[in-house]
Amino acid sequence: MKPSPRDPERTRARILRAARTEFMRHGYSGARVERISRSGRSSDRMIYYYFESKEKLYLAVLEGVYAELGEAESALVLDASRPVEALAELIAFTWNYYLSHPEFVALLSNENLQRGRHITKSVRVKQLSRPVLDILGTILAEGARQKRFRRDLDVHQVYLTLAALGYFYLSNRYTLSSFLGSDLMRAERCDAWLAEITRVMQAAVAAPGARGK
């Protein structure tokens, strides 16, 4: 099916949506251009016209999910003058973003299986800002100033802890559900895990004697 030449942006966006689903389900190695063109109501020829290769299409998908996360982070409005509450809101945002964007978790898991060999080629991903690091840094600094949080916190380490607690749960949900004999994706289990992430994070950053203030 030949798309209208007068609407290239819509055609490109349709291909990207189809490609995101294909790469999410099958990973880079298992994804097929013909399935993407069929699902995107396009053609293999048009995919190569817009993206040149399967790898560049895959990179465009990865860049898209990173850019969307950055945009969502930039839209956050948190009151850093109340650092404990602001951290809790940031934790909830991160967890709920992972929950509502399963393609983000799946695509990152697939790329890690590839040892990151594609994402390292992306100039755009390297240039994308990570608003969450600035936001988290502001919250931690204000918490330390108020003597609510420790002064020796490293923003990267705190972020890695937060990301790991959410990402591991979701990326391993099927095997963990089987091992624990309980569906971890039930709403009440997800809510309970958010409460646990919040408890662990708040305890980890709290200044000695500051808990419960």
Side-chain angles (χ1 to χ4, degrees):
M1 175 180 178
K2 185 177 180 180
S4 169
R6 291 174 296 181
D7 202 0
E9 288 305 312
R10 182 176 295 182
T11 300
R12 192 176 188 278
R14 196 166 58 238
I15 291 170
L16 280 171
R17 284 194 300 271
R20 181 178 295 199
T21 299
E22 178 73 8
F23 288 124
M24 179 180 72
R25 290 177 177 172
H26 303 286
Y28 178 76
S29 298
R32 296 292 177 265
V33 169
E34 58 269 24
R35 283 199 297 256
I36 295 171
S37 61
R38 199 161 51 240
S39 178
R41 293 182 287 117
S42 184
S43 66
D44 295 2
R45 183 178 66 81
M46 291 307 296
I47 287 176
Y48 289 115
Y49 172 78
Y50 283 112
F51 299 97
E52 299 182 14
S53 67
K54 176 183 171 181
E55 182 178 38
K56 288 187 177 180
L57 173 58
Y58 176 67
L59 279 177
V61 169
L62 286 177
E63 290 166 352
V65 297
Y66 271 106
E68 288 170 11
L69 174 59
E71 289 169 5
E73 291 168 350
S74 295
L76 278 171
V77 179
L78 303 177
D79 183 1
S81 69
R82 302 170 67 234
V84 174
E85 292 80 0
L87 180 59
E89 291 177 34
L90 182 60
I91 292 166
F93 162 82
T94 302
W95 172 243
N96 288 319
Y97 191 91
Y98 289 174
L99 269 180
S100 60
H101 294 80
E103 73 282 0
F104 181 78
V105 175
L107 287 165
L108 264 61
S109 295
N110 285 321
E111 180 58 10
N112 276 292
L113 288 174
Q114 300 285 327
R115 297 180 179 269
R117 66 187 179 93
H118 303 286
I119 200 69
T120 55
K121 299 176 184 178
S122 172
V123 175
R124 186 183 176 205
V125 166
K126 292 182 178 72
Q127 293 173 339
L128 287 172
S129 64
R130 291 309 314 273
V132 70
L133 296 179
D134 292 334
I135 295 167
L136 181 58
T138 300
I139 293 169
L140 296 180
E142 180 60 22
R145 190 191 69 78
Q146 294 183 21
K147 299 182 180 179
R148 305 295 301 275
F149 296 164
R150 291 163 34 209
R151 292 187 176 276
D152 61 343
L153 294 169
D154 181 303
V155 66
H156 287 178
Q157 298 283 27
V158 175
Y159 178 74
L160 282 170
T161 302
L162 170 58
L165 287 169
Y167 182 85
F168 178 85
Y169 184 106
L170 293 173
S171 64
N172 294 277
R173 61 192 180 276
Y174 300 113
T175 52
L176 287 172
S177 292
S178 177
F179 178 74
L180 297 173
S182 177
D183 181 4
L184 295 186
M185 295 310 293
R186 294 205 321 265
E188 61 270 25
R189 294 302 301 269
C190 290
D191 290 345
W193 188 243
L194 172 58
E196 181 64 7
I197 296 174
T198 304
R199 183 193 69 78
V200 169
M201 293 294 300
Q202 297 282 22
V205 303
R211 297 179 196 177
K213 284 187 179 181

